[in-house]
Amino acid sequence: MDEFDLIHRITPKKSHQNALVMGIGDDASVYQPHSQCEEVVCVDTMVERVHFRFDFSTPYEIGFKALAVNISDIAAMGATPKYYLVSIAIPPHGDEEIVTALYQGMKALADTYQMDLIGGDTVSTRSDFVITVTVIGEIPKGTACYRQSAQTGDIVFVTGELGSSAAGLSLLMNGVAPVKSVDTAFFLERHKMPQPHVVAGQICSSFPRVTLNDVSDGLASELNEIAEASDVTVEIEADKLPVHADLPLLNDKWLEWVLFGGEDFVLTGTIPEADWTSFEKQCKEKEVKVTQIGQVVHDQYAGVNLKENDQQTKLMKRGYNHFKK
Ligand code: ADP
Ligand code: MG
């Protein structure tokens, strides 16, 4: 495999964004930011055998997810994704076919959002693939959704459904046996090719005081982050948590998936009670599923409480943590 051939092959033939002045092919890319907007930037790395496995996912699916998790962070600010850059470290077992498919997976998702690939880096590694994706987005000035503005009385919501990705992973790892009446392909796809909630995030940013986080590490962890940043206490109700109808059929422990599984890449956050009806209406118009799951109950951080059959339990920030054994 030749580095320059490879770069040539992945260079897009045309771009979506008119504001792009110079894309791939020079020392750096140049674009004209919109004067009424703020730039929103994030980066995430996926490492073979830590974040993905070639025996679980195709290279196309891995590429798709590497971009999806970054778009999800942009969505969690309420912003619109515009550009992406990809740094890839290729091991000896990585041939041209794999790398091409990784980029095709990214392109498929990028095209749905009119995003342009504007640069990256290509290196070799001795053992595992490493894919680092940077995404640049834009948002009208002053409208980004941060984590620290929740107040007592706000409604806690989640977009989409929870636990499907963890169910998919469990099916892949043979931790859970498939159930005859259940469409397991649905759960596998939710794990392998998650869809970021960009439209939902944009709706959130059109309201004055929404806190927002994407569910990457698990609902318990994300809500604790919001509660901590806002210095409030959050209470959610187990029987309000939105799940796919078949999820409980797969395993008795399905609530664990919902609370701690993560990687659903839906959005969770808070909104003032006065804005809720109008928020719900806008979500419905744009076909975004949104569910109230609880409320902000106290203006000091004392964690996240789960109400289940009149019992209260404190939800710890448990979820996947790379440095915890
Ligand atoms: P330089 O040596 O000036 O840093 P490179 O030879 O590394 O440039 O890259 C040439 C061009 O190709 C640059 O525009 C760079 O952003 C782009 N590029 C290199 N590797 C990748 C990659 N893996 N994915 C996307 N673009 C890449
Ligand atoms: Mg150079």
Side-chain angles (χ1 to χ4, degrees):
M1 195 167 22
D2 179 86
E3 181 188 333
F4 299 102
D5 278 354
L6 180 73
I7 294 172
H8 184 71
R9 202 157 318 106
I10 59 181
T11 300
K13 304 281 174 291
K14 51 181 194 292
S15 59
H16 297 289
Q17 300 290 335
N18 292 328
L20 184 63
V21 181
M22 172 59 71
I24 290 179
D26 215 304
D27 299 302
S29 61
V30 179
Y31 65 89
Q32 171 76 55
H34 201 284
S35 66
Q36 300 307 311
C37 284
E38 287 165 344
E39 305 279 294
V40 183
V41 187
C42 64
V43 59
D44 252 312
T45 297
M46 295 203 354
V47 179
E48 185 181 356
R49 292 190 296 171
V50 176
H51 299 91
F52 63 87
R53 289 168 54 164
F54 284 107
D55 54 342
F56 283 177
S57 298
T58 64
Y60 181 96
E61 290 165 339
I62 293 162
F64 185 101
K65 187 165 177 176
L67 182 59
V69 304
N70 278 283
I71 296 178
S72 179
D73 278 324
I74 297 288
M77 301 305 286
T80 303
K82 301 269 177 176
Y83 306 106
Y84 65 113
L85 298 97
V86 181
S87 170
I88 186 163
I90 306 169
H93 62 274
D95 59 23
E96 214 173 287
E97 204 179 320
I98 293 179
V99 177
T100 304
L102 282 167
Y103 274 83
Q104 282 168 346
M106 287 189 268
K107 187 176 187 303
L109 186 61
D111 284 347
T112 65
Y113 293 109
Q114 308 273 293
M115 292 171 70
D116 290 323
L117 174 65
I118 61 167
D121 197 21
T122 311
V123 297
S124 59
T125 164
R126 293 208 184 145
S127 52
D128 293 307
F129 259 99
V130 182
I131 309 164
T132 304
V133 180
T134 303
V135 171
I136 299 167
E138 275 182 6
I139 189 160
K141 269 182 191 158
T143 68
C145 301
Y146 302 108
R147 296 175 182 174
Q148 71 260 47
S149 63
Q151 292 177 12
T152 304
D154 287 357
I155 283 175
V156 180
F157 66 85
V158 65
T159 67
E161 292 170 345
L162 295 160
S164 302
S165 174
L169 179 62
S170 226
L171 287 161
L172 281 169
M173 310 241 302
N174 298 321
V176 163
V179 175
K180 230 185 184 173
S181 60
V182 172
D183 174 19
T184 51
F186 169 83
F187 295 100
L188 296 178
E189 179 156 332
R190 294 273 56 77
H191 179 72
K192 297 200 278 187
M193 295 177 71
Q195 291 287 345
H197 283 205
V198 175
V199 175
Q202 288 165 339
I203 298 172
C204 292
S205 77
S206 72
F207 286 84
R209 190 171 57 75
V210 171
T211 65
L212 210 54
N213 208 346
D214 65 323
V215 180
S216 51
D217 298 326
L219 184 72
S221 178
E222 316 306 346
L223 286 179
N224 264 290
E225 283 175 355
I226 288 175
E228 222 173 334
S230 299
D231 198 19
V232 295
T233 299
V234 163
E235 190 176 282
I236 59 170
E237 294 175 47
D239 60 9
K240 287 193 176 164
L241 299 171
V243 299
H244 187 280
D246 287 348
L247 189 80
L249 304 179
L250 286 171
N251 195 282
D252 293 344
K253 293 259 160 68
W254 62 273
L255 191 56
E256 292 274 305
W257 290 337
V258 170
L259 296 169
F260 307 108
E263 296 219 320
D264 285 308
F265 298 107
V266 298
L267 303 177
T268 188
T270 67
I271 186 165
E273 209 164 8
D275 289 331
W276 177 249
T277 313
S278 155
F279 178 62
E280 252 190 323
K281 187 164 162 264
Q282 279 205 39
C283 287
K284 199 169 182 187
E285 275 165 18
K286 303 234 164 87
E287 289 173 28
V288 169
K289 179 180 161 123
V290 66
T291 311
Q292 174 179 1
I293 59 169
Q295 209 143 17
V296 178
V297 290
H298 188 57
D299 63 354
Q300 245 177 10
Y301 178 58
V304 174
N305 298 322
L306 175 76
K307 250 172 61 179
E308 196 184 2
N309 312 322
D310 293 329
Q311 289 225 10
Q312 287 249 15
T313 40
K314 196 167 180 157
L315 291 179
M316 294 304 166
K317 219 172 165 174
R318 177 154 71 91
Y320 194 75
N321 183 321
H322 283 270
F323 301 107
K324 270 197 182 143
K325 281 270 165 355

